[in-house]
């Protein structure tokens, strides 16, 4: 891990891209189910806030490198799930 600032910036960039992609699919996609799109947009914002807060406040008693490795893995898995949801819209 380089530093917390870089990790936060990466999380923000990825979430911004996911948000933009979801908005594009909601506007130009074949399905116009507003409730699903809104729920997905809300989950992206919630995920972004959750992981940004977790970067700033690591769990006590856990080694820093293990904590941030686990954080990155969980974030990647959650991003992959959201990408699959966007593809299924």
């Amino acid at each position: 891990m380089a530093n917390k600032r870089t990790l936060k910036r990466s999380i923000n960039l990825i979430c911004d891209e996911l948000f933009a992609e979801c908005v594009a699919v909601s506007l130009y996609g074949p399905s116009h189910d507003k409730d699903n799109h809104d729920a997905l947009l809300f989950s992206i914002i919630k995920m972004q806030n959750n992981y940004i807060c977790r970067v700033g406040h690591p769990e006590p008693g856990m080694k820093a490198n293990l904590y941030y490795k686990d954080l990155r893995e969980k974030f990647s898995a959650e991003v992959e799930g959201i990408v699959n949801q966007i593809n299924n819209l």
Side-chain angles (χ1 to χ4, degrees), residues 6-72:
T6 305
L7 186 56
K8 285 182 180 182
R9 187 175 297 141
S10 297
I11 289 171
N12 281 327
L13 287 173
I14 291 169
C15 289
D16 288 347
E17 290 295 323
L18 286 174
F19 193 87
E21 188 67 28
C22 188
V23 168
V25 167
S26 70
L27 292 174
Y28 303 114
S31 172
H32 294 290
D33 188 12
K34 185 172 175 12
D35 293 334
N36 284 341
H37 295 139
D38 289 346
L40 191 55
L41 291 171
F42 179 73
S43 69
I44 292 170
I45 292 170
K46 187 174 155 184
M47 178 185 70
Q48 180 180 12
N49 290 336
N50 179 30
Y51 281 98
I52 293 296
C53 289
R54 287 178 62 188
V55 168
H57 303 288
E59 291 181 17
M62 192 173 185
K63 290 186 177 181
N65 56 352
L66 293 176
Y67 175 75
Y68 289 112
K69 180 180 178 183
D70 182 56
L71 183 88
R72 286 191 308 264

Side-chain angles (χ1 to χ4, degrees), residues 74-86:
K74 288 181 180 177
F75 180 73
S76 296
E78 200 165 336
V79 165
E80 186 176 321
I82 289 177
V83 167
N84 288 336
Q85 288 178 351
I86 291 172

